[in-house]
Amino acid sequence: MAEELTPENPEAVLEDAADAVGEEPVKQRKNGLYPGVSDELAENMQSGWADTELHDLEPIAQAAETAARRAALSARFPGERLVIPAGNLKTRSNDTEYPFRASVEYAYLTGNQTEDGVLVLEPEGEGHTATIYLLPRSDRENGEFWLSGQGELWVGRRHSLTEAGKLYGIPASDVRELAGALREATGPVRVVRGYDAGIEAALTDKVTAERDEELRVFLSEARLVKDEFEIGELQKAVDSTVRGFEDVVKVLDKAEATSERYIEGTFFLRARVEGNDVGYGSICAAGPHACTLHWVRNDGPVRSGDLLLLDAGVETHTYYTADVTRTLPVNGTYSELQKKIYDAVYDAQEAGIAAVQPGAKYRDFHDAAQRVLAERLVEWGLVEGPVERVLELGLQRRWTLHGTGHMLGMDVHDCAAARVESYVDGTLEPGMVLTVEPGLYFQADDLTVPEEYRGIGVRIEDDILVTADGNRNLSAGLPRRSDEVERWMAALKG
């Protein structure tokens, strides 16, 4: 990795370079190899560059949808200034940053994904005027493009403000002027908190936590029902995820020779080639690690005869993520006990998916799946019945542990800020997308179950779209039934 000329190090300020660029002093790396920037070099770097402005840009694919979303937001908060930041870069270590991911609220309303961006809806008449505030292209006159660690020659070209306006269908302005303007603003204001401390500081005497939370809740609930663009993106994410699972099955022998990391890396390759990233840390849990619900260390052995619980999802370039789980026999064939447990989870998932219907209560699919699992646990003698008693007291939860699903979208656990009455106590509607993912987990140290059960964990998860007449399994491309899984694995390994 190349060494930057201008790190964030306030101890050494290069005054001659400051004169050369004509603005704030250039901060030099403490142990950088260049002592300064000569006037001659600064002048040389200002000229001789071709015009690279892009003139034939078309709006992004979801421009009509983001405009409709902004209109709905405008209607909900008439007469109020609304401020939705993208967020800022976060330091990973010293002078390196984590890959940037814009806030969901900002990306949902704009389609833009660049750091430091801010969407502002200014009240005008009966509605609002939207402006997207962005960093303009790095300046070639003051040397920012090659002297700044975030300059164009270091991290790549940004869109000009004119280009951004064409792409996103929103007039674009320089974000560096926004904080000052917000400090002078009058009238009611709401901001989405937690992403941009500088913007929040500029509004500190104008906003309240209660009013800002109302804005956050509205934007979370707005995503409960997906539009056609979103459904298409979720299907893309799932389709790539299916291919990622196929990739993993093909290299299970290499995972056996190494570790769970090989599985993680294999799936990640598919996610980066076909999408933006993984939607969350991949869970590549072999053997007893399958009983740890969010096992993301992925550093354990992969052994023939064990099960592999793979919970992973590709995130598209527009931030929509799949969330799919399969529990696979590493050697391609379930043992008798593994199959018994797997089939119980499969039956529970079938009951849960059948309960996903428009007009049904959100909780119905969870209740249906839990009933099946409780019945099996009673049948196997692991918990004392009757089943109604088990469910009433929640005794099955020792082995089922988690809820049976969640909303899915731009966040893997989407719409998390929605009101309880709109989400878990709400009613399913066409366009909602949720996971159905029952599981059974018998911990390696659980002395209440027979020894042969211990260390077996099974989860099956699919992404389900609520339709006008029922539901559609977006991840149906991956087999679920135990015999189908074995045939599928044999064909891929064959």
Side-chain angles (χ1 to χ4, degrees):
M1 183 176 184
E3 184 179 49
E4 293 175 14
L5 298 177
T6 57
E8 293 299 318
N9 181 358
E11 297 181 46
V13 177
L14 201 57
E15 297 295 347
D16 55 343
D19 294 338
V21 298
E23 290 191 354
E24 294 184 2
V26 176
K27 298 173 184 177
Q28 185 185 7
R29 183 186 298 273
K30 181 177 181 179
N31 288 300
L33 294 174
Y34 287 104
V37 177
S38 69
D39 292 343
E40 290 79 7
L41 177 58
E43 182 178 356
N44 176 274
M45 292 295 288
Q46 288 178 353
S47 60
W49 305 100
D51 179 9
T52 59
E53 182 76 9
L54 305 175
H55 299 284
D56 299 322
L57 294 174
E58 296 292 331
I60 58 173
Q62 68 270 42
E65 285 79 7
T66 55
R69 297 166 194 167
R70 294 192 299 273
L73 176 60
S74 173
R76 172 61 180 82
F77 298 103
E80 302 185 54
R81 180 178 289 102
L82 308 173
V83 182
I84 301 94
N88 315 124
L89 289 171
K90 289 182 170 59
T91 300
R92 181 179 184 272
S93 177
N94 187 25
D95 58 354
T96 60
E97 293 85 19
Y98 287 103
F100 180 73
R101 190 184 191 275
S103 74
V104 164
E105 294 88 348
Y106 175 85
Y108 178 75
L109 293 167
T110 66
N112 177 257
Q113 300 177 6
T114 54
E115 66 270 16
D116 301 326
V118 184
L119 172 68
V120 178
L121 270 61
E122 295 279 355
E124 182 177 79
E126 297 183 356
H128 289 80
T129 299
T131 303
I132 187 170
Y133 287 86
L134 302 167
L135 287 171
R137 288 194 62 190
S138 51
D139 197 324
R140 302 215 170 200
E141 289 298 314
N142 69 5
E144 175 197 353
F145 79 109
W146 72 287
L147 290 173
S148 168
Q150 293 302 318
E152 190 169 297
L153 296 193
W154 288 100
V155 298
R157 183 187 188 277
R158 294 192 290 262
H159 283 295
S160 71
L161 298 179
T162 300
E163 291 169 353
K166 293 177 181 178
L167 286 169
Y168 306 110
I170 314 170
S173 293
D174 190 337
V175 72
R176 294 173 296 186
E177 302 169 358
L178 179 59
L182 291 176
R183 289 189 190 96
E184 302 300 321
T186 59
V189 185
R190 298 178 192 256
V191 63
V192 177
R193 299 190 181 202
Y195 298 116
D196 193 317
I199 293 299
E200 290 180 38
L203 295 169
T204 187
D205 60 341
K206 307 175 193 301
V207 296
T208 67
E210 181 180 6
R211 286 163 50 80
D212 291 348
E213 181 63 12
E214 289 174 351
L215 172 59
R216 178 170 174 258
V217 167
F218 174 82
L219 290 172
S220 195
E221 293 187 4
R223 303 198 309 275
L224 283 168
V225 176
K226 271 59 180 178
D227 57 39
E228 288 302 314
F229 176 84
E230 294 180 286
I231 293 169
E233 290 299 292
L234 284 166
Q235 187 65 69
K236 285 182 190 176
V238 168
D239 291 346
S240 289
T241 299
V242 169
R243 291 187 283 272
F245 274 65
E246 292 171 346
D247 295 340
V248 166
V249 171
K250 293 174 182 177
V251 300
L252 280 177
D253 58 332
K254 294 182 174 62
E256 287 187 66
T258 52
S259 74
E260 296 162 338
R261 291 281 171 93
Y262 204 96
I263 295 166
E264 179 183 351
T266 298
F267 188 85
F268 181 70
L269 177 62
R270 177 67 65 173
R272 286 293 282 167
V273 168
E274 295 193 0
N276 178 55
D277 206 331
V278 289
Y280 52 95
S282 298
I283 299 166
C284 309
H289 289 162
C291 298
T292 301
L293 301 183
H294 288 168
W295 176 261
V296 293
R297 299 180 203 172
N298 299 335
D299 58 0
V302 178
R303 298 188 178 99
S304 179
D306 282 347
L307 296 176
L308 166 68
L309 191 157
L310 177 59
D311 183 336
V314 173
E315 178 186 83
T316 67
H317 294 291
T318 55
Y319 288 175
Y320 289 88
T321 185
D323 183 6
V324 177
T325 306
R326 291 293 182 268
T327 305
L328 311 172
V330 173
N331 63 12
T333 304
Y334 296 101
S335 72
E336 183 177 346
L337 179 59
Q338 289 170 348
K339 185 177 186 301
K340 181 176 82 166
I341 296 170
Y342 184 96
D343 288 349
V345 175
Y346 171 81
D347 290 344
Q349 194 199 29
E350 283 282 274
I353 292 173
V356 176
Q357 303 284 336
K361 295 296 183 183
Y362 176 84
R363 292 180 182 272
D364 288 352
F365 77 96
H366 169 71
D367 292 342
Q370 290 292 299
R371 176 171 290 277
V372 172
L373 295 178
E375 289 171 349
R376 298 303 170 85
L377 291 167
V378 171
E379 176 187 326
W380 299 339
L382 301 183
V383 64
E384 183 181 348
V387 170
E388 293 300 336
R389 168 184 171 273
V390 173
L391 292 170
E392 181 181 354
L393 300 177
L395 301 179
Q396 83 284 359
R397 292 180 61 185
R398 182 182 178 104
W399 303 284
T400 66
L401 293 176
H402 55 80
T404 309
H406 52 81
M407 291 293 180
L408 184 67
M410 297 181 85
D411 280 330
V412 65
H413 297 147
D414 208 27
C415 312
R419 294 168 297 172
V420 171
E421 58 266 32
S422 300
Y423 192 158
V424 295
D425 288 343
T427 301
L428 296 179
E429 301 177 39
M432 290 182 171
V433 180
L434 59 146
T435 68
V436 179
E437 50 174 314
L440 281 175
Y441 311 93
F442 300 102
Q443 305 298 326
D445 58 351
D446 187 350
L447 302 181
T448 70
V449 300
E451 185 175 359
E452 62 267 24
Y453 282 74
R454 299 172 199 167
I456 295 178
V458 174
R459 180 164 66 251
I460 311 172
E461 177 181 21
D462 285 270
D463 302 341
I464 309 298
L465 167 68
V466 183
T467 63
D469 57 357
N471 68 66
R472 185 169 88 236
N473 186 349
L474 300 179
S475 45
L478 277 179
R480 292 185 296 125
R481 211 172 63 204
S482 56
D483 59 334
E484 293 175 341
V485 169
E486 290 176 339
R487 289 196 296 271
W488 169 72
M489 292 183 68
L492 288 171
K493 288 183 172 183

